[in-house]
Amino acid sequence: MSLKLYFAPGACSFVPHSMLELSGVEFEPHGVKLHKNEQRSPEYLAINPRGQVPVLVDGDQVVTQIVAILLHLDARLPQAGILPASGEARTRALQTLTWMNNTVHPTFTHVFMPEKFTDDEAARQAIRAYAAKTYRGLLGEIELLAEKASPWMTGEQPGALDAYALTLLRWGGFAGIDPTTLPATWALAQRFAALPPVARAVERERLTLNVYKPAA
């Protein structure tokens, strides 16, 4: 098995990054520095013309988009417990995963990069403020799920939902949301980050879990 993951520190690529570490499989982690526009380099665009992370290279196959990557890894590494194997538990996990990816994640994009949606500065400020308020509500929905974790969001084994919950909660700090005000998710994120395999991904990405800074 020849696996290579292109990731950017702190991005959603942390989810497959941590899953690969948890699986115990050998893989080649390749950091992409977004602040240096490495995702726009000719070399990277040759791999993913959209210039996005993550990208998984599995032998001759290139897989993009986080949900597709997680499903690919789940099929290749069933022992990793990335998602429940079957039945209602799998269906519910997929519901939550796709919601995190198609609703919660894009809402944060409106907070962090409003320039993607308008070139009017006043409109950008309005988009950012409204999206931050909406994002707080979405994190509240994740909090309800985290309260039911036993001990992980899909049961006895940590998986993709825990990694995505950590990522989305961490981003909340950039939206002015103190993660400790969501105690169940905050406890889940700390527990997940403390797992030795996950800690390797955290260290490699040099992540600080709580990036919230109170307004002066």
Side-chain angles (χ1 to χ4, degrees), residues 15-16 19 65-75 82 97 160:
V15 183
M19 291 300 97
Q65 300 299 313
I66 189 168
V67 173
I69 289 171
L70 291 171
L71 289 173
H72 181 87
L73 289 175
D74 187 52
I82 293 170
L97 175 64

Side-chain angles (χ1 to χ4, degrees), residues 1 3 15-20 22-23 25 56 58 63 65-87 89-91 93-94 97 154 157-161:
M1 185 180 296
L3 295 171
V15 183
H17 188 182
S18 59
M19 291 300 97
L20 282 165
L22 274 172
S23 76
V25 71
L56 178 74
D58 182 357
V63 187
Q65 300 299 313
I66 189 168
V67 173
I69 289 171
L70 291 171
L71 289 173
H72 181 87
L73 289 175
D74 187 52
R76 293 280 268 129
L77 308 167
Q79 77 284 359
I82 293 170
L83 292 163
S86 61
R90 184 174 180 85
T91 299
L94 286 170
L97 175 64
T154 49
Q157 192 168 356
L161 297 190

Side-chain angles (χ1 to χ4, degrees), residues 5-20 30 32 34 44 52-55 66 69-70 105 163-164 167 171 201 205:
L5 180 73
Y6 290 85
F7 71 92
C12 65
S13 49
F14 174 78
V15 183
H17 188 182
S18 59
M19 291 300 97
L20 282 165
H30 192 286
V32 180
L34 302 183
Y44 192 76
Q52 298 173 329
V53 293
V55 171
I66 189 168
I69 289 171
L70 291 171
H105 189 152
Y164 220 152
T167 300
W171 289 353
E205 297 195 21

Side-chain angles (χ1 to χ4, degrees), residues 86-145:
S86 61
E88 183 180 352
R90 184 174 180 85
T91 299
R92 291 190 179 278
L94 286 170
Q95 284 179 177
T96 301
L97 175 64
T98 52
W99 170 76
M100 286 175 164
N101 184 245
N102 68 29
T103 300
V104 190
H105 189 152
T107 300
F108 178 73
T109 303
H110 284 72
V111 178
F112 199 60
M113 292 184 285
E115 65 276 7
K116 282 193 167 190
F117 309 100
T118 180
D119 58 3
D120 181 276
E121 183 55 36
R124 288 178 183 175
Q125 295 299 326
I127 288 171
R128 182 182 289 113
Y130 186 81
K133 181 179 178 180
T134 303
Y135 195 71
R136 180 64 172 84
L138 296 171
L139 289 183
E141 291 189 50
I142 294 174
E143 176 73 0
L144 295 177
L145 297 172

Side-chain angles (χ1 to χ4, degrees), residues 20-39:
L20 282 165
E21 287 289 0
L22 274 172
S23 76
V25 71
E26 289 189 15
F27 73 101
E28 181 182 349
H30 192 286
V32 180
K33 297 175 182 176
L34 302 183
H35 65 285
K36 292 188 176 181
N37 266 336
E38 289 182 355
Q39 75 278 19

